[in-house]
């Protein structure tokens, strides 16, 4: 049973969000993506709070995580801490900012063949050029 704090996330929900941050940091993906999304300051503040370098009230931490998710989603990376994502991965899709992750033809004059990056973790190889498809992220 989750212990809820009035007006905020339950202890379990906050812990889940923070575990997503931890997982993405451990994978080496969050800081670079956050820089690209203009959210490096938020990641730094959250990490400082978690390390105990800068005390932060729980409500402030929750708002920072919300803002981080908003910026990452707006930049096309998807929600990175919110519970609407199953497993924490970058790039991701979010309900508010749907993003399609795909592989596209690498030819100078590309054909219309596309492959889902979710279905194909490795880039397919183009039969005409012999080169791997190119990763692309498109907001719908």
């Amino acid at each position: 049973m989750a212990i809820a704090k009035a007006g905020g996330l339950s202890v379990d929900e906050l812990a889940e969000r923070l575990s997503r941050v931890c997982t993405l940091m451990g994978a080496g993906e969050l800081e670079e993506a956050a820089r690209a999304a203009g959210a490096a300051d938020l990641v730094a503040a959250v990490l400082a709070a978690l390390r105990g370098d800068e005390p932060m009230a729980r409500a402030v931490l929750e708002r920072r995580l919300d803002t981080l998710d908003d910026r990452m989603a707006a930049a096309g990376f998807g929600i990175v801490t919110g519970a609407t994502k199953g497993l924490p991965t970058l790039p991701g899709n979010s309900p508010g900012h749907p993003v399609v992750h795909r592989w596209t033809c690498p030819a100078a004059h590309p054909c219309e063949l596309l492959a889902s990056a979710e279905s194909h973790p490795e880039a397919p190889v183009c039969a005409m050029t012999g080169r791997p498809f190119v990763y692309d992220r498109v907001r719908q």
Side-chain angles (χ1 to χ4, degrees):
M1 178 164 106
I3 301 170
K5 183 170 183 177
L9 297 173
S10 74
V11 172
D12 291 344
E13 289 170 324
L14 181 58
E16 287 175 18
R17 291 181 78 180
L18 294 175
S19 69
R20 289 181 180 98
V21 171
C22 184
T23 300
L24 293 170
M25 287 298 297
E29 299 173 332
L30 184 57
E31 288 180 302
E32 181 180 334
R35 274 193 295 279
D41 59 327
L42 289 166
V43 171
V46 167
L47 294 176
L50 296 177
R51 291 180 185 129
D53 299 338
E54 293 182 27
M56 184 180 296
R58 179 187 170 90
V60 174
L61 179 57
E62 291 173 8
R63 284 194 304 273
R64 296 254 168 107
L65 291 173
D66 291 343
T67 304
L68 175 62
D69 280 345
D70 290 345
R71 285 194 195 169
M72 297 298 286
F77 290 101
I79 293 173
V80 297
T81 77
T84 58
K85 280 187 62 147
L87 298 174
T89 58
L90 286 177
N93 292 327
S94 70
H97 302 275
V99 178
V100 174
H101 303 276
R102 64 186 186 185
W103 298 104
T104 61
C105 179
H109 298 279
C111 70
E112 294 181 340
L113 289 180
L114 303 170
S116 163
E118 186 175 306
S119 300
H120 302 279
E122 300 292 324
V125 176
C126 175
M128 290 192 302
T129 66
R131 294 187 302 211
F133 276 43
V134 178
Y135 177 78
D136 188 25
R137 183 178 65 228
V138 180
R139 274 197 252 184
Q140 289 191 326

